[in-house]
Short mmCIF file of all heavy atoms in Angstrom, two decimals:
data_model
loop_
_atom_site.label_atom_id
_atom_site.label_comp_id
_atom_site.label_asym_id
_atom_site.label_seq_id
_atom_site.Cartn_x
_atom_site.Cartn_y
_atom_site.Cartn_z
N ARG A 275 10.57 -22.05 25.12
CA ARG A 275 11.30 -22.08 26.39
C ARG A 275 12.82 -22.08 26.14
O ARG A 275 13.55 -21.35 26.82
CB ARG A 275 10.94 -23.35 27.16
CG ARG A 275 9.59 -23.26 27.85
CD ARG A 275 9.33 -24.38 28.83
NE ARG A 275 9.44 -25.71 28.22
CZ ARG A 275 8.52 -26.33 27.53
NH1 ARG A 275 7.34 -25.74 27.36
NH2 ARG A 275 8.67 -27.53 27.05
N ILE A 276 13.27 -22.85 25.17
CA ILE A 276 14.73 -22.87 24.85
C ILE A 276 15.17 -21.49 24.39
O ILE A 276 16.21 -20.97 24.80
CB ILE A 276 15.01 -23.95 23.76
CG1 ILE A 276 14.82 -25.34 24.38
CG2 ILE A 276 16.39 -23.77 23.21
CD1 ILE A 276 14.84 -26.47 23.37
N TYR A 277 14.38 -20.85 23.55
CA TYR A 277 14.72 -19.52 23.01
C TYR A 277 14.85 -18.52 24.16
O TYR A 277 15.79 -17.75 24.22
CB TYR A 277 13.65 -19.08 22.01
CG TYR A 277 14.04 -17.85 21.24
CD1 TYR A 277 14.87 -17.91 20.13
CD2 TYR A 277 13.54 -16.60 21.60
CE1 TYR A 277 15.19 -16.79 19.42
CE2 TYR A 277 13.88 -15.45 20.89
CZ TYR A 277 14.70 -15.55 19.80
OH TYR A 277 15.04 -14.43 19.09
N ARG A 278 13.91 -18.52 25.10
CA ARG A 278 13.94 -17.59 26.23
C ARG A 278 15.20 -17.83 27.08
O ARG A 278 15.85 -16.88 27.51
CB ARG A 278 12.68 -17.71 27.08
CG ARG A 278 11.47 -17.01 26.48
CD ARG A 278 10.33 -16.89 27.48
NE ARG A 278 9.95 -18.16 28.08
CZ ARG A 278 9.07 -19.02 27.56
NH1 ARG A 278 8.45 -18.75 26.44
NH2 ARG A 278 8.79 -20.13 28.21
N LEU A 279 15.49 -19.08 27.36
CA LEU A 279 16.68 -19.43 28.20
C LEU A 279 17.98 -18.99 27.51
O LEU A 279 18.87 -18.40 28.11
CB LEU A 279 16.70 -20.92 28.46
CG LEU A 279 15.67 -21.44 29.46
CD1 LEU A 279 15.62 -22.98 29.43
CD2 LEU A 279 15.92 -20.94 30.86
N LEU A 280 18.06 -19.29 26.21
CA LEU A 280 19.25 -18.92 25.46
C LEU A 280 19.42 -17.39 25.38
O LEU A 280 20.53 -16.87 25.51
CB LEU A 280 19.23 -19.50 24.06
CG LEU A 280 19.42 -21.00 23.95
CD1 LEU A 280 19.11 -21.50 22.54
CD2 LEU A 280 20.85 -21.40 24.34
N LYS A 281 18.31 -16.70 25.18
CA LYS A 281 18.35 -15.24 25.10
C LYS A 281 18.81 -14.64 26.41
O LYS A 281 19.65 -13.73 26.44
CB LYS A 281 16.98 -14.70 24.71
CG LYS A 281 16.96 -13.19 24.56
CD LYS A 281 15.62 -12.66 24.14
CE LYS A 281 15.70 -11.16 23.99
NZ LYS A 281 14.37 -10.58 23.72
N ALA A 282 18.29 -15.16 27.55
CA ALA A 282 18.68 -14.64 28.85
C ALA A 282 20.17 -14.88 29.09
O ALA A 282 20.88 -13.99 29.60
CB ALA A 282 17.86 -15.30 29.95
N GLU A 283 20.66 -16.03 28.70
CA GLU A 283 22.07 -16.34 28.87
C GLU A 283 22.93 -15.44 27.94
O GLU A 283 23.97 -14.96 28.33
CB GLU A 283 22.34 -17.83 28.57
CG GLU A 283 23.75 -18.26 28.83
CD GLU A 283 24.16 -18.17 30.32
OE1 GLU A 283 23.29 -18.17 31.21
OE2 GLU A 283 25.37 -18.08 30.55
N TYR A 284 22.48 -15.27 26.72
CA TYR A 284 23.17 -14.46 25.72
C TYR A 284 23.40 -13.05 26.24
O TYR A 284 24.46 -12.44 26.08
CB TYR A 284 22.36 -14.42 24.43
CG TYR A 284 22.80 -13.40 23.41
CD1 TYR A 284 23.82 -13.69 22.52
CD2 TYR A 284 22.18 -12.15 23.33
CE1 TYR A 284 24.24 -12.78 21.58
CE2 TYR A 284 22.58 -11.24 22.37
CZ TYR A 284 23.60 -11.54 21.52
OH TYR A 284 24.00 -10.63 20.57
N GLU A 285 22.38 -12.50 26.91
CA GLU A 285 22.47 -11.11 27.41
C GLU A 285 23.49 -10.94 28.52
O GLU A 285 23.83 -9.83 28.83
CB GLU A 285 21.06 -10.65 27.81
CG GLU A 285 20.16 -10.50 26.62
CD GLU A 285 18.68 -10.28 26.94
OE1 GLU A 285 18.29 -10.36 28.11
OE2 GLU A 285 17.93 -10.00 26.00
N ARG A 286 23.98 -12.04 29.06
CA ARG A 286 24.98 -11.98 30.13
C ARG A 286 26.40 -11.96 29.58
O ARG A 286 27.35 -11.83 30.34
CB ARG A 286 24.81 -13.18 31.07
CG ARG A 286 23.48 -13.16 31.81
CD ARG A 286 23.30 -14.38 32.68
NE ARG A 286 24.37 -14.52 33.65
CZ ARG A 286 25.00 -15.67 33.86
NH1 ARG A 286 24.66 -16.76 33.23
NH2 ARG A 286 25.99 -15.72 34.75
N HIS A 287 26.57 -12.13 28.27
CA HIS A 287 27.91 -12.24 27.67
C HIS A 287 28.12 -11.20 26.55
O HIS A 287 27.17 -10.57 26.10
CB HIS A 287 28.12 -13.66 27.11
CG HIS A 287 27.91 -14.72 28.13
ND1 HIS A 287 28.86 -15.00 29.06
CD2 HIS A 287 26.90 -15.57 28.35
CE1 HIS A 287 28.42 -15.97 29.84
NE2 HIS A 287 27.23 -16.35 29.43
N ASP A 288 29.33 -11.11 26.06
CA ASP A 288 29.62 -10.23 24.94
C ASP A 288 28.96 -10.78 23.69
O ASP A 288 28.88 -12.01 23.51
CB ASP A 288 31.14 -10.16 24.69
CG ASP A 288 31.86 -9.42 25.81
OD1 ASP A 288 31.19 -8.59 26.50
OD2 ASP A 288 33.04 -9.64 25.98
N ALA A 289 28.53 -9.91 22.81
CA ALA A 289 27.93 -10.30 21.55
C ALA A 289 29.00 -10.91 20.66
O ALA A 289 30.15 -10.52 20.73
CB ALA A 289 27.27 -9.09 20.86
N PRO A 290 28.60 -11.87 19.79
CA PRO A 290 29.55 -12.34 18.81
C PRO A 290 30.08 -11.20 17.95
O PRO A 290 29.42 -10.19 17.76
CB PRO A 290 28.70 -13.31 17.96
CG PRO A 290 27.60 -13.75 18.90
CD PRO A 290 27.30 -12.55 19.75
N ILE A 291 31.26 -11.38 17.41
CA ILE A 291 31.98 -10.29 16.74
C ILE A 291 31.19 -9.65 15.60
O ILE A 291 31.20 -8.44 15.43
CB ILE A 291 33.39 -10.73 16.25
CG1 ILE A 291 34.13 -9.58 15.58
CG2 ILE A 291 33.29 -11.90 15.28
CD1 ILE A 291 34.32 -8.35 16.46
N VAL A 292 30.48 -10.43 14.81
CA VAL A 292 29.80 -9.85 13.66
C VAL A 292 28.72 -8.90 14.14
O VAL A 292 28.50 -7.83 13.55
CB VAL A 292 29.25 -10.96 12.73
CG1 VAL A 292 28.41 -10.37 11.61
CG2 VAL A 292 30.42 -11.77 12.15
N GLU A 293 28.02 -9.25 15.19
CA GLU A 293 27.00 -8.35 15.74
C GLU A 293 27.65 -7.08 16.33
O GLU A 293 27.12 -6.00 16.19
CB GLU A 293 26.18 -9.07 16.81
CG GLU A 293 25.32 -10.14 16.21
CD GLU A 293 24.49 -10.83 17.25
OE1 GLU A 293 24.06 -10.19 18.24
OE2 GLU A 293 24.28 -12.04 17.10
N PHE A 294 28.80 -7.25 16.95
CA PHE A 294 29.54 -6.11 17.49
C PHE A 294 29.92 -5.15 16.35
O PHE A 294 29.77 -3.93 16.48
CB PHE A 294 30.75 -6.60 18.24
CG PHE A 294 31.51 -5.49 18.90
CD1 PHE A 294 31.03 -4.85 20.00
CD2 PHE A 294 32.77 -5.10 18.40
CE1 PHE A 294 31.75 -3.84 20.62
CE2 PHE A 294 33.48 -4.10 19.00
CZ PHE A 294 32.97 -3.42 20.12
N VAL A 295 30.38 -5.69 15.24
CA VAL A 295 30.73 -4.89 14.08
C VAL A 295 29.53 -4.10 13.58
O VAL A 295 29.64 -2.91 13.29
CB VAL A 295 31.34 -5.77 12.95
CG1 VAL A 295 31.42 -4.98 11.65
CG2 VAL A 295 32.74 -6.26 13.37
N LYS A 296 28.38 -4.76 13.51
CA LYS A 296 27.16 -4.10 13.06
C LYS A 296 26.78 -2.93 13.98
O LYS A 296 26.51 -1.82 13.50
CB LYS A 296 26.01 -5.11 12.96
CG LYS A 296 24.67 -4.49 12.62
CD LYS A 296 24.65 -3.83 11.25
CE LYS A 296 23.22 -3.32 10.97
NZ LYS A 296 22.95 -3.07 9.62
N VAL A 297 26.84 -3.19 15.29
CA VAL A 297 26.50 -2.11 16.26
C VAL A 297 27.52 -0.98 16.19
O VAL A 297 27.13 0.19 16.22
CB VAL A 297 26.43 -2.71 17.69
CG1 VAL A 297 26.34 -1.62 18.72
CG2 VAL A 297 25.24 -3.67 17.82
N GLN A 298 28.79 -1.31 16.08
CA GLN A 298 29.82 -0.31 16.08
C GLN A 298 29.89 0.52 14.79
O GLN A 298 30.18 1.71 14.83
CB GLN A 298 31.21 -0.93 16.31
CG GLN A 298 31.40 -1.49 17.71
CD GLN A 298 31.50 -0.34 18.70
OE1 GLN A 298 32.26 0.59 18.57
NE2 GLN A 298 30.70 -0.43 19.75
N THR A 299 29.62 -0.13 13.67
CA THR A 299 29.82 0.56 12.39
C THR A 299 28.53 0.83 11.62
O THR A 299 28.50 1.74 10.79
CB THR A 299 30.74 -0.29 11.45
OG1 THR A 299 30.05 -1.44 11.04
CG2 THR A 299 32.05 -0.66 12.17
N GLY A 300 27.50 0.03 11.82
CA GLY A 300 26.27 0.15 11.02
C GLY A 300 26.46 -0.14 9.58
O GLY A 300 25.62 0.16 8.75
N SER A 301 27.57 -0.78 9.21
CA SER A 301 27.93 -0.99 7.80
C SER A 301 27.73 -2.44 7.37
O SER A 301 28.41 -3.34 7.93
CB SER A 301 29.40 -0.58 7.60
OG SER A 301 29.89 -1.05 6.40
N VAL A 302 26.90 -2.66 6.40
CA VAL A 302 26.72 -4.01 5.84
C VAL A 302 28.03 -4.46 5.19
O VAL A 302 28.41 -5.65 5.29
CB VAL A 302 25.57 -4.06 4.84
CG1 VAL A 302 25.49 -5.41 4.16
CG2 VAL A 302 24.24 -3.70 5.52
N PHE A 303 28.73 -3.54 4.56
CA PHE A 303 30.03 -3.88 3.95
C PHE A 303 31.00 -4.46 5.00
O PHE A 303 31.62 -5.49 4.80
CB PHE A 303 30.63 -2.62 3.30
CG PHE A 303 32.05 -2.76 2.82
CD1 PHE A 303 32.34 -3.54 1.70
CD2 PHE A 303 33.09 -2.13 3.47
CE1 PHE A 303 33.64 -3.65 1.27
CE2 PHE A 303 34.38 -2.23 3.04
CZ PHE A 303 34.66 -3.01 1.91
N LYS A 304 31.10 -3.81 6.14
CA LYS A 304 32.00 -4.26 7.20
C LYS A 304 31.48 -5.55 7.83
O LYS A 304 32.30 -6.40 8.24
CB LYS A 304 32.22 -3.15 8.25
CG LYS A 304 33.07 -2.02 7.65
CD LYS A 304 33.31 -0.91 8.64
CE LYS A 304 34.15 0.20 7.97
NZ LYS A 304 34.32 1.34 8.83
N VAL A 305 30.19 -5.70 7.93
CA VAL A 305 29.63 -6.98 8.43
C VAL A 305 30.04 -8.12 7.49
O VAL A 305 30.45 -9.18 7.95
CB VAL A 305 28.08 -6.91 8.56
CG1 VAL A 305 27.47 -8.29 8.72
CG2 VAL A 305 27.69 -5.99 9.73
N LEU A 306 29.95 -7.90 6.19
CA LEU A 306 30.37 -8.90 5.21
C LEU A 306 31.86 -9.24 5.37
O LEU A 306 32.21 -10.41 5.45
CB LEU A 306 30.11 -8.43 3.77
CG LEU A 306 30.63 -9.32 2.66
CD1 LEU A 306 29.97 -10.72 2.73
CD2 LEU A 306 30.31 -8.68 1.30
N LEU A 307 32.70 -8.26 5.49
CA LEU A 307 34.14 -8.51 5.64
C LEU A 307 34.42 -9.26 6.93
O LEU A 307 35.18 -10.23 6.93
CB LEU A 307 34.93 -7.19 5.62
CG LEU A 307 34.91 -6.36 4.33
CD1 LEU A 307 35.87 -5.20 4.45
CD2 LEU A 307 35.19 -7.18 3.11
N ALA A 308 33.82 -8.81 8.03
CA ALA A 308 34.05 -9.47 9.33
C ALA A 308 33.56 -10.91 9.30
O ALA A 308 34.18 -11.80 9.87
CB ALA A 308 33.39 -8.68 10.43
N THR A 309 32.43 -11.13 8.61
CA THR A 309 31.89 -12.49 8.57
C THR A 309 32.82 -13.40 7.76
O THR A 309 33.04 -14.56 8.13
CB THR A 309 30.47 -12.49 7.97
OG1 THR A 309 29.67 -11.57 8.70
CG2 THR A 309 29.83 -13.84 8.04
N ILE A 310 33.35 -12.91 6.65
CA ILE A 310 34.31 -13.69 5.87
C ILE A 310 35.53 -14.00 6.73
O ILE A 310 36.03 -15.15 6.76
CB ILE A 310 34.71 -12.95 4.59
CG1 ILE A 310 33.51 -12.92 3.62
CG2 ILE A 310 35.92 -13.62 3.93
CD1 ILE A 310 33.69 -12.01 2.40
N LEU A 311 36.03 -13.03 7.47
CA LEU A 311 37.17 -13.25 8.34
C LEU A 311 36.91 -14.24 9.46
O LEU A 311 37.81 -14.96 9.90
CB LEU A 311 37.68 -11.94 8.92
CG LEU A 311 38.23 -10.88 7.97
CD1 LEU A 311 38.66 -9.63 8.75
CD2 LEU A 311 39.38 -11.42 7.17
N SER A 312 35.67 -14.28 9.93
CA SER A 312 35.37 -15.05 11.13
C SER A 312 35.33 -16.57 10.92
O SER A 312 35.42 -17.29 11.89
CB SER A 312 34.00 -14.59 11.69
OG SER A 312 32.93 -15.05 10.87
N ALA A 313 35.25 -17.02 9.68
CA ALA A 313 35.15 -18.46 9.44
C ALA A 313 36.38 -19.18 10.01
O ALA A 313 37.51 -18.78 9.73
CB ALA A 313 35.02 -18.73 7.95
N ARG A 314 36.12 -20.16 10.87
CA ARG A 314 37.17 -20.97 11.49
C ARG A 314 38.21 -20.13 12.25
O ARG A 314 39.40 -20.42 12.25
CB ARG A 314 37.85 -21.85 10.47
CG ARG A 314 36.91 -22.87 9.88
CD ARG A 314 37.66 -23.81 8.99
NE ARG A 314 36.76 -24.86 8.55
CZ ARG A 314 37.13 -25.95 7.91
NH1 ARG A 314 38.41 -26.08 7.63
NH2 ARG A 314 36.31 -26.86 7.56
N THR A 315 37.73 -19.08 12.87
CA THR A 315 38.61 -18.19 13.61
C THR A 315 37.85 -17.75 14.89
O THR A 315 36.68 -17.42 14.85
CB THR A 315 38.99 -16.95 12.78
OG1 THR A 315 39.57 -17.39 11.57
CG2 THR A 315 39.93 -16.06 13.52
N LYS A 316 38.56 -17.71 15.98
CA LYS A 316 37.96 -17.27 17.25
C LYS A 316 37.61 -15.78 17.16
O LYS A 316 38.26 -15.02 16.49
CB LYS A 316 38.91 -17.51 18.43
CG LYS A 316 39.13 -19.00 18.69
CD LYS A 316 39.93 -19.17 19.97
CE LYS A 316 40.19 -20.62 20.28
NZ LYS A 316 39.05 -21.40 20.63
N ASP A 317 36.55 -15.41 17.88
CA ASP A 317 36.05 -14.03 17.82
C ASP A 317 37.10 -13.01 18.20
O ASP A 317 37.19 -11.93 17.60
CB ASP A 317 34.83 -13.86 18.77
CG ASP A 317 33.51 -14.13 18.04
OD1 ASP A 317 33.55 -14.60 16.87
OD2 ASP A 317 32.44 -13.84 18.62
N ARG A 318 37.91 -13.29 19.21
CA ARG A 318 38.95 -12.32 19.63
C ARG A 318 39.91 -12.05 18.52
O ARG A 318 40.28 -10.89 18.24
CB ARG A 318 39.67 -12.84 20.87
CG ARG A 318 40.73 -11.87 21.36
CD ARG A 318 41.27 -12.28 22.66
NE ARG A 318 40.21 -12.00 23.65
CZ ARG A 318 40.21 -12.45 24.87
NH1 ARG A 318 41.17 -13.22 25.31
NH2 ARG A 318 39.24 -12.15 25.72
N THR A 319 40.34 -13.08 17.81
CA THR A 319 41.25 -12.93 16.68
C THR A 319 40.58 -12.19 15.53
O THR A 319 41.18 -11.29 14.91
CB THR A 319 41.75 -14.33 16.21
OG1 THR A 319 42.38 -14.96 17.33
CG2 THR A 319 42.74 -14.21 15.06
#
């Protein structure tokens, strides 16, 4: 039940940046770089 509720809510918002990078680039390399950059940093930054 929690998973379904969270998923429905998730679909109403922008994806987290690392997922966006994966969709935009398809690159594991870029996912790794973005993930390293994302630590303790807001998604927009």
Side-chain angles (χ1 to χ4, degrees):
R275 284 191 303 278
I276 290 170
Y277 189 82
R278 282 192 307 272
L279 289 169
L280 288 169
K281 182 178 181 187
E283 186 64 23
Y284 169 84
E285 291 171 352
R286 296 177 56 227
H287 303 284
D288 292 335
I291 182 57
V292 174
E293 291 181 35
F294 184 72
V295 167
K296 174 63 176 198
V297 169
Q298 289 292 308
T299 70
S301 166
V302 174
F303 172 71
K304 290 179 180 177
V305 166
L306 174 60
L307 297 186
T309 306
I310 291 170
L311 295 179
S312 74
R314 295 187 174 189
T315 304
K316 293 188 181 293
D317 269 9
R318 179 170 288 165
T319 302

